[in-house]
Amino acid sequence: MSIKLLLTGGTIDKHYNESNGELDFVETHIPNLLELGRNRSNVNIQQVMLKDSLEMDDADRQTILEACTQAEEAKILITHGTDTIVETAEVLAGKKLEKTIVLVGAMIPFVFKHSDAVFNMGFALGVVQCLPQGVYVAMNGQVFDWNTVAKNREEGIFEGKLSTHPPTFA
Amino acid sequence: MSIKLLLTGGTIDKHYNESNGELDFVETHIPNLLELGRNRSNVNIQQVMLKDSLEMDDADRQTILEACTQAEEAKILITHGTDTIVETAEVLAGKKLEKTIVLVGAMIPFVFKHSDAVFNMGFALGVVQCLPQGVYVAMNGQVFDWNTVAKNREEGIFEGKLSTHPPTFA
Amino acid sequence: MSIKLLLTGGTIDKHYNESNGELDFVETHIPNLLELGRNRSNVNIQQVMLKDSLEMDDADRQTILEACTQAEEAKILITHGTDTIVETAEVLAGKKLEKTIVLVGAMIPFVFKHSDAVFNMGFALGVVQCLPQGVYVAMNGQVFDWNTVAKNREEGIFEGKLSTHPPTFA
Amino acid sequence: MSIKLLLTGGTIDKHYNESNGELDFVETHIPNLLELGRNRSNVNIQQVMLKDSLEMDDADRQTILEACTQAEEAKILITHGTDTIVETAEVLAGKKLEKTIVLVGAMIPFVFKHSDAVFNMGFALGVVQCLPQGVYVAMNGQVFDWNTVAKNREEGIFEGKLSTHPPTFA
């Protein structure tokens, strides 16, 4: 089984810019993360963009959709900023691709000591391998159907209906 | 969906003993790990034992099996030392419980900077939620059927047949 | 020997604000840092302010000077943003206090995995104990006299004349 | 000012051996540690040995003494296991070299998340630059004269008379 890993940026991949003290993007940390996790699953990484999801527009979402459509793999994992992860999921779901698509992000960038990035990526890489076709958001150790999930910005968590596809979630 | 998380020890949970400079067990780090991952899935932790898996005997494996049998949850995740994780998986599989049981460990304890523990636990917590009934070992970002997997001690990896239950692994 | 540790903020103490994805101040990390270092020297911490040093004005520097003047300790360590650390050092030096004053900061906040904060604080806490009266900046594993040091923003380092007070730097 | 950094091993430099789950030595982490601290002081590293200090014998201490004697630098920093750091300090002090010699170690190896190694090395690199001739042990954010210090094994700390050479410790 091959997995396409599409990188789009988001908090998970932000970097500390020493010259101005801000967080921005330079290059992805995801290969380092997978190495830390000693991943040996067959992951094909494609960097689609590195953007804060608040700055993504319709054209960006079409670009992500295009990458999903073009992917030869039936399993697609997408790193994404959490602020508009649901909007992108909706665009992807509209295409009704015969693929399993899981979107994942992090509340704290990988480069911080207390980041949730490693846990989230491990989790998402697991569920994308097991879930049937559909579009999902994986956060907080939970799998959500794309059409029920929402980010609770006050609490910094995701909420919604947990995915329950049989026999997986019997 | 509730998940029973049985702790049995293993490398993942080892601790640095300052007084003698060795690695041993004091108390589990798994709750801290789940907090780091901002887990909000319903995980019920039960500490069955904290042992190096090389020191586990038949009675220990029966204790773990008993904990699986008694668990009300249909989803069971077990932290375990990697050296005899397959032996324990075999004992658990022999009982043919109508449950999803995933065993997971780490090559490097959680307390080390370069540990694979967080990734592995995220991964395993994901797949246990999605896999159908059966006994699996989750390591290296891969899910193995219990009866095909083996630890390659020279390379420090797990190898075997990847689990292929339809429709999950279509 | 008692050491007064004055906290003024700076990069070293910045925090990741999850709600807006920016770096700001909430509470200091310095006590945690000293605990990590198992410090047992007699350090009296006083939080003077928590500011980005680019936002400090003359009044802020007078406040820091006042804290130095009021301190009962003859040894004073000050955490400070690197961008204007030299300006503050100049103000403090102008008062010609009969004290040893060492200013220290970090290029990367403590909360990042690759932070220089812990090394820098260890270094500065060491030199403040050993240096004679004067005002110094401690960065990059080096002690600089306040009146020769400058931040090289392109390279993210400090340069200047190394302090050479005999017999210390014989 | 040049500093000779002699590596002898000790807890600070221990490594996790995946194949047997024990802590041993492979290669030093000290260059990585200095890079993390963005050190730019002139440090000349010489690996004398990589040993647990409980396994050091008289010949080893003579080897370390020889390295101190041969060093062209007047400032010498030595990484050492904490268990016999005082014994080695005594041997070095017996030679009455006209040099500043600081011995340092760690209670927790550098490779652990909660290690004191980075703080200790920063501290020791600072004091070796500032202290007059003599032999010192630097631990717990404190500088001890070699002939008064002892490791308190129950509490995992160093105790003794703090160094008070004027004008440094006025």
Side-chain angles (χ1 to χ4, degrees):
Chain A
M1 179 171 46
S2 292
I3 301 151
K4 174 69 83 180
L5 174 50
L6 301 178
L7 308 179
T8 76
T11 290
I12 194 170
D13 236 342
K14 283 199 176 167
H15 164 88
Y16 183 68
N17 182 333
E18 294 180 30
S19 67
N20 63 9
E22 297 188 357
L23 292 163
D24 56 21
F25 299 102
V26 176
E27 57 180 343
T28 180
H29 304 96
I30 302 298
N32 290 343
L33 188 162
L34 294 176
E35 189 179 9
L36 180 73
R38 296 172 166 240
N39 174 60
R40 286 173 44 84
S41 67
N42 189 5
V43 173
N44 304 318
I45 298 181
Q46 178 184 340
Q47 183 172 313
V48 181
M49 64 191 72
L50 287 182
K51 278 201 175 183
D52 187 314
S53 77
L54 288 173
E55 296 178 1
M56 283 185 181
D57 58 18
D58 289 350
D60 290 322
R61 294 187 215 287
Q62 287 302 316
T63 302
I64 298 170
L65 172 58
E66 185 66 17
C68 290
T69 307
Q70 300 263 335
E72 294 180 4
E73 297 85 350
K75 302 288 193 177
I76 300 177
L77 179 57
I78 304 175
T79 59
H80 200 289
T82 58
D83 282 316
T84 69
I85 197 169
V86 178
E87 285 85 327
T88 299
E90 184 174 2
V91 169
L92 302 182
K95 186 78 169 190
K96 298 188 189 304
L97 296 171
E98 296 187 340
K99 304 190 178 193
T100 302
I101 301 177
V102 174
L103 295 101
V104 67
M107 291 302 296
I108 312 271
F110 172 68
V111 290
F112 285 82
K113 292 170 183 166
H114 62 307
S115 175
D116 54 333
V118 177
F119 184 87
N120 291 359
M121 278 298 293
F123 183 87
L125 187 66
V127 299
V128 77
Q129 293 181 37
C130 302
L131 288 165
Q133 292 177 8
V135 177
Y136 311 87
V137 172
M139 287 293 291
N140 298 118
Q142 297 182 306
V143 182
F144 301 97
D145 290 328
W146 71 271
N147 58 342
T148 70
V149 67
K151 180 176 176 180
N152 178 329
R153 286 182 173 69
E154 285 68 41
E155 300 189 30
I157 58 174
F158 279 78
E159 296 172 324
K161 199 160 74 64
L162 298 181
S163 199
T164 56
H165 294 275
T168 307
F169 293 92
Chain B
M1 178 171 47
S2 291
I3 300 150
K4 174 70 83 180
L5 174 49
L6 300 178
L7 308 178
T8 75
T11 290
I12 195 171
D13 236 343
K14 283 198 177 169
H15 165 88
Y16 184 66
N17 182 331
E18 294 180 29
S19 66
N20 64 10
E22 297 188 356
L23 293 162
D24 57 20
F25 299 102
V26 176
E27 56 180 342
T28 180
H29 304 96
I30 301 298
N32 290 343
L33 189 162
L34 293 176
E35 188 178 10
L36 180 74
R38 297 172 165 240
N39 175 60
R40 288 174 41 85
S41 67
N42 189 4
V43 174
N44 304 317
I45 298 181
Q46 178 184 340
Q47 183 172 311
V48 181
M49 64 191 72
L50 287 181
K51 278 201 175 184
D52 186 315
S53 78
L54 288 173
E55 296 178 2
M56 282 185 182
D57 58 19
D58 289 349
D60 290 322
R61 294 187 216 287
Q62 288 303 316
T63 301
I64 297 169
L65 173 57
E66 184 66 17
C68 291
T69 306
Q70 300 264 334
E72 294 180 4
E73 297 85 351
K75 302 288 192 178
I76 299 178
L77 179 57
I78 304 175
T79 61
H80 199 289
T82 59
D83 282 316
T84 69
I85 197 170
V86 179
E87 285 86 327
T88 299
E90 185 175 3
V91 169
L92 302 182
K95 186 77 170 191
K96 298 186 189 306
L97 295 170
E98 295 188 340
K99 304 190 178 191
T100 301
I101 300 177
V102 175
L103 295 101
V104 66
M107 291 302 297
I108 312 271
F110 172 68
V111 290
F112 285 83
K113 293 170 183 167
H114 62 308
S115 175
D116 54 333
V118 177
F119 184 88
N120 292 359
M121 277 298 293
F123 183 87
L125 187 67
V127 299
V128 77
Q129 293 180 38
C130 303
L131 288 165
Q133 292 176 9
V135 176
Y136 311 87
V137 172
M139 287 293 291
N140 297 120
Q142 297 182 307
V143 182
F144 301 97
D145 289 328
W146 71 270
N147 59 342
T148 71
V149 67
K151 180 176 177 181
N152 177 330
R153 286 183 172 69
E154 285 69 40
E155 300 190 30
I157 58 174
F158 278 77
E159 296 171 326
K161 201 160 73 62
L162 298 182
S163 199
T164 57
H165 293 278
T168 307
F169 294 92
Chain C
M1 179 170 45
S2 291
I3 301 151
K4 174 68 82 179
L5 174 49
L6 301 178
L7 308 179
T8 76
T11 291
I12 194 170
D13 236 343
K14 283 197 177 169
H15 164 88
Y16 184 67
N17 182 331
E18 294 180 29
S19 66
N20 64 9
E22 297 189 356
L23 292 163
D24 56 21
F25 298 102
V26 177
E27 58 179 342
T28 180
H29 304 96
I30 302 298
N32 290 343
L33 188 162
L34 294 176
E35 188 178 11
L36 181 73
R38 296 172 166 241
N39 175 61
R40 287 174 42 86
S41 67
N42 189 4
V43 174
N44 304 317
I45 298 181
Q46 179 185 340
Q47 183 173 312
V48 181
M49 65 191 73
L50 287 182
K51 279 201 175 184
D52 187 314
S53 76
L54 288 173
E55 297 178 1
M56 281 186 184
D57 58 18
D58 290 349
D60 290 324
R61 293 188 216 286
Q62 288 301 318
T63 302
I64 298 170
L65 173 58
E66 185 65 18
C68 290
T69 306
Q70 301 263 336
E72 294 180 4
E73 297 85 351
K75 302 287 192 177
I76 300 177
L77 179 57
I78 305 175
T79 60
H80 199 289
T82 58
D83 283 316
T84 69
I85 196 170
V86 178
E87 285 85 329
T88 299
E90 185 175 359
V91 169
L92 301 183
K95 185 78 170 191
K96 297 187 189 305
L97 295 171
E98 295 188 342
K99 304 190 178 193
T100 302
I101 301 177
V102 175
L103 295 103
V104 66
M107 290 303 297
I108 311 271
F110 172 69
V111 290
F112 284 83
K113 292 170 183 167
H114 62 308
S115 174
D116 53 334
V118 177
F119 184 87
N120 291 359
M121 277 298 293
F123 183 86
L125 186 67
V127 299
V128 77
Q129 293 180 37
C130 302
L131 288 166
Q133 293 176 7
V135 177
Y136 311 87
V137 172
M139 287 292 291
N140 297 120
Q142 297 181 306
V143 182
F144 301 97
D145 290 327
W146 71 271
N147 58 342
T148 71
V149 67
K151 181 175 177 181
N152 178 329
R153 286 183 172 69
E154 285 68 42
E155 299 189 32
I157 59 174
F158 278 77
E159 296 171 324
K161 199 160 74 64
L162 297 182
S163 199
T164 56
H165 294 277
T168 308
F169 293 93
Chain D
M1 177 170 46
S2 291
I3 300 150
K4 174 70 84 179
L5 174 49
L6 301 178
L7 309 178
T8 76
T11 291
I12 194 170
D13 236 343
K14 283 196 177 171
H15 164 88
Y16 184 67
N17 182 331
E18 295 179 30
S19 66
N20 64 10
E22 297 189 356
L23 292 162
D24 56 22
F25 298 103
V26 176
E27 56 180 343
T28 180
H29 304 95
I30 302 298
N32 290 343
L33 188 161
L34 294 176
E35 188 177 11
L36 180 73
R38 296 171 166 241
N39 175 59
R40 287 173 43 84
S41 67
N42 189 4
V43 173
N44 303 318
I45 297 181
Q46 179 184 339
Q47 183 172 313
V48 181
M49 65 191 72
L50 287 181
K51 277 201 175 183
D52 187 314
S53 77
L54 288 173
E55 295 178 3
M56 282 185 182
D57 58 18
D58 290 349
D60 290 322
R61 295 188 215 285
Q62 287 302 317
T63 300
I64 298 169
L65 173 57
E66 185 66 16
C68 291
T69 305
Q70 301 263 334
E72 294 181 4
E73 297 85 352
K75 301 288 192 178
I76 300 177
L77 180 56
I78 304 174
T79 59
H80 199 289
T82 58
D83 282 317
T84 70
I85 197 170
V86 179
E87 285 86 327
T88 298
E90 184 174 3
V91 169
L92 302 182
K95 186 76 170 191
K96 298 187 189 304
L97 295 171
E98 295 188 341
K99 304 190 178 193
T100 302
I101 300 177
V102 174
L103 295 103
V104 66
M107 291 302 298
I108 311 273
F110 172 69
V111 291
F112 285 83
K113 292 170 184 167
H114 62 308
S115 174
D116 54 335
V118 177
F119 183 88
N120 291 358
M121 278 297 293
F123 183 87
L125 187 66
V127 298
V128 77
Q129 293 181 37
C130 303
L131 288 166
Q133 291 177 8
V135 176
Y136 311 87
V137 172
M139 287 293 291
N140 298 119
Q142 297 181 307
V143 182
F144 301 98
D145 290 327
W146 71 270
N147 59 342
T148 69
V149 66
K151 180 176 177 180
N152 178 329
R153 286 183 172 69
E154 284 69 40
E155 300 189 30
I157 59 173
F158 279 77
E159 297 171 325
K161 198 160 76 60
L162 297 181
S163 199
T164 57
H165 294 278
T168 308
F169 293 92

